[in-house]
Amino acid sequence: MTPERWRQVEELYHAAQEHGSSVLAGADPELRGEVEKLLAQEGSLLDHPAWEMLQPRPGARLGHYEIVSKLGQGGMGEVYRAKDTKLGREVAIKVLPHHLAGDPERLARFEREAKVLAALNHPNIAAIYGVEERAIVMELVEGETLKGPLPVETALNYARQIAEALEAAHDKGITHRDLKPANVKVTPQGLVKVLDFGLAAMTPTGAGSGDPTNSPTLTVHATEAGAIMGSPAYMSPEQASGRAVDKRADVWSFGVVLWELLTGKRLFGGETASHTLTNVLSAEIDFSQLPPGTPAPVRGLLRRCLDRDARRRLRDIGEARVTLESPRQAELATPPSPSRAGWLWPTVAGLLLAMLAVGYVAYRRATAETRVLRMSVLPPEKAIADIVAVSPDGRRIVFVGALEGQNELWIRELDSLSARPLEGTENATYPFWSPDSGAIGFFEGGKLKRIAVAGGPVLTLCDALSGRGGSWNQNGVIVFSPSIGTGIYRVAAAGGEATPVTEVSYASGENAHRMPWFLPDGHHFLYTARNNDPERDTINIADLDSKERRKVQTASSNASYSPPGYLLFLRGATLMAQPFDASSAQTKGEPLAIVEQVRFDSLNRTGRFSVSRNGVLAYASGSMTIGFTGGSVGRAQLTWFDRSGKVTGTVGQPGAISWPSISPDGRSVVFDRVDQNGQSNIWLYDQARRTESRFTFDSASSAYPIWSPDGSHIAYSSAHPIGAVVFLKPVGGAGDGEILDPSTTPARPTDWSRDGRYVIAQVLDPKRNSDVWVMPQFGDRKAFPYLHADYNEQFGKLSPGGKWLAYTSNETKRDEVYVQTFPSPGGKWQVSTNGGTRPVWSRNGKELFFIDPGRKVMAVEVRGGAKFEAGIPKTLFATRFAVGGSTWFDVSDDGRFLIPNEVEEPSTSPISVVINWTAGLKR
């Protein structure tokens, strides 16, 4: 069988395994027979006779080299021990198999390795002897693969030899890009040989076994910008981010290898390559794990090699080689002889006294001259900045910004003149920092995610339907508030299953725990316990291992801890500093007012401020806000639009308004309004009389109103001792209303069938996914799930005839609008094509409207006979939804759209930064 024929068998075999035997129908009969034979015997390609015929085997010849035995196999091919019949020496031959020879990328890497080795001639690099067809003939290195832990002196000796090999390569303009223990061998004589230059670059450019020391080499089109190359556990942060690299990438990998030689432990690991990359980008490096005998200069060398900022990293591996040549020079220096000691020690003592005197003067001067430094950080032109977080090291701030209606995270280095967006963070909110300031956690699309500050892939950690703040400790644990109405949860910073840490005390009036903040010990954390009565909101302290918690302060605000010992929180719009002992979690004395007019989101009861470990305070200035819409905090006006987007009228007074619903007879509108204390209540508007009247007077917030089909009742969501549940209240009635089903919580209604038999609700499941539920209004009225999956299904809306239910789902990793049969889910049709949410049916059931990712109103013609049919979505007009990012709207009988439209231009106030803020405290 020829190599070409073999490739045909291989390709067809894989296609049949992936797509089924139907793909064999049009294949060549002989070829089909070969593949069918393999499939029938449940074999593999290795079982095919051609496999052995096409591989080098003992006794086979490649030119004048005779194969002796197979040494190993990797991603670039097989390596064989062979005998050079001309010179009588043993060699190693790396062979590119036939089935890979047709891969241009693999072939290019193979050829590149040969050229790189030909350019190098160094005792610590395996030499090349020649090239045959698809084969590189190399020096046979006898010995063991590098592994630790080793005695410190031995580890440093081997590391020095690796450094010499890399220095020789770098001097030739060659970057290895895949340095790891599996690519280094040590001969019985103690000589180190660096192998495998298959990923090497001649100029700086930018899943196998479970053992990361032999982890898969990742390559994605090696000649393209943004390629990710290397072995996950050993690649540099810039490699992991897919950015261009230079020789400093080898310096990082060298540091990782040296760490492993000294400790015997992998510095970065994870369950998958993705988790490993995440840790490379952001996991804290604990240098205390180095053996006690590690010389101080080597500790310093490792810190420089393992600096994630390539600009501060050791620039030349030759410096490492110099350090390792005499690492104990300072520690093992010969003591002075008695003849010299008489004059040496007085001299040293005199120098020390002089240094102390100079230091004392400098200290007194520095103390006297300590000043508060204030600066303003302007958002990008035409962008709005909100929800600011300063990095623990005080060097950067991240904020949520909105530019032309698009939210994303922006990074501003405090020593820079401009901010830059973080690609991949569209619609992100509530950012928080990793303890090493190298990564940022945030919430988006119903998930908790993270991204490296340097950029790169966004990693999803777990579900978080509507996150409200997070905090990340030095041990790789994140605590966060996953959704409205829940306690605080914890999850590993590498991702995984989230588990609850605190429980909401609904019986005491609590309705949510939010905005956690780790204290310095990384075990205890602060959080805000929201109450139905905002005057009873408290700042509490809890720990990771128990559900016990204790009140620290009464305040309707998030809280942060600032060294050397202050609790920061808001009272109104004033930022307060309360003396606080973090070790005992006790406040002391009275709080001090430090900044006025700090922006406060009264809907979420969250102040827009943040503080670093070293005294850098950042905050957004401005008046009190209600909700957050990507930086926009203007009021909303319920506005009527026709199909072209022309304004035809308004409803009521502007304010923090959302969730409008038109009565069945079209005479009234119900909506919720948030007051300045963050309290939400439901209001009615009479269109004929043009008057507003309050509908709910609960002590708890009420929202999400839906009309009954006859207009006599309104269903809505409100807090209850067991959580947010669906209430039913007659129009004009008094009291708090009737609970539909207390077992569904937290829940909110989204629709009511025209025949009055079913209320559609949105319920949060224990995994914090949103599900569509049905609440029958007949029989035992026991609610049941209609859609329940490991993703979010929400905003259910019934067609006028009650046969179809439209809803939003993120099962494809973005929100799309779908339709299924009702009351039992059956056939399923996707209506939106490029993202969509908040479906609303026309009153005659012939159209379905929704909002696209650009906040445009879309229309789709539908037909619902025996089978549902949908046309192509068409854009009607752009919107300016306001208040909390809500895109809820309704459509009247005559086809007009009622939308909470933003009526105020958003504020462009700068972010204020105060360096050394404690120096400004008034005692």
Side-chain angles (χ1 to χ4, degrees), residues 260-335:
E260 193 164 327
L261 294 183
L262 290 167
T263 66
K265 300 177 182 178
R266 295 187 293 271
L267 182 54
F268 303 108
E271 295 179 2
T272 66
S274 296
H275 289 142
T276 301
L277 289 174
T278 299
N279 290 328
V280 168
L281 290 169
S282 59
E284 185 175 12
I285 301 173
D286 184 5
F287 288 91
S288 66
Q289 294 185 16
L290 291 171
T294 306
V298 175
R299 292 176 180 270
L301 172 65
L302 277 169
R303 289 183 180 274
R304 291 201 62 195
C305 289
L306 296 174
D307 195 321
R308 285 188 170 90
D309 189 341
R311 296 171 300 177
R312 298 198 305 264
R313 192 179 305 151
L314 189 75
R315 300 192 67 85
D316 197 321
I317 196 68
E319 296 179 45
R321 188 251 310 155
V322 171
T323 299
L324 294 170
E325 284 177 345
S326 52
R328 298 190 184 276
Q329 184 173 2
E331 297 173 313
L332 303 180
T334 303

Side-chain angles (χ1 to χ4, degrees), residues 643 831-833 847-852 856-861 871-877 897:
R643 292 179 68 93
V831 175
S832 60
T833 55
E847 284 186 291
L848 189 59
F849 307 103
F850 63 90
I851 306 299
D852 80 349
K856 297 182 179 68
V857 176
M858 309 294 292
V860 180
E861 292 184 3
I872 299 174
K874 297 179 181 179
T875 301
L876 296 185
F877 59 92
F897 297 82

Side-chain angles (χ1 to χ4, degrees), residues 701-759:
S701 288
S702 301
Y704 316 113
I706 295 294
W707 289 93
S708 66
D710 62 2
S712 64
H713 289 72
I714 292 174
Y716 61 94
S717 179
S718 187
H720 184 270
I722 61 171
V725 294
V726 177
F727 282 77
L728 184 63
K729 182 178 177 180
V731 176
D736 292 340
E738 168 196 1
I739 298 176
L740 288 189
D741 188 340
S743 67
T744 55
T745 180
R748 65 191 190 194
T750 60
D751 203 7
W752 201 325
S753 65
R754 294 286 181 92
D755 60 11
R757 291 171 59 82
Y758 303 103
V759 170

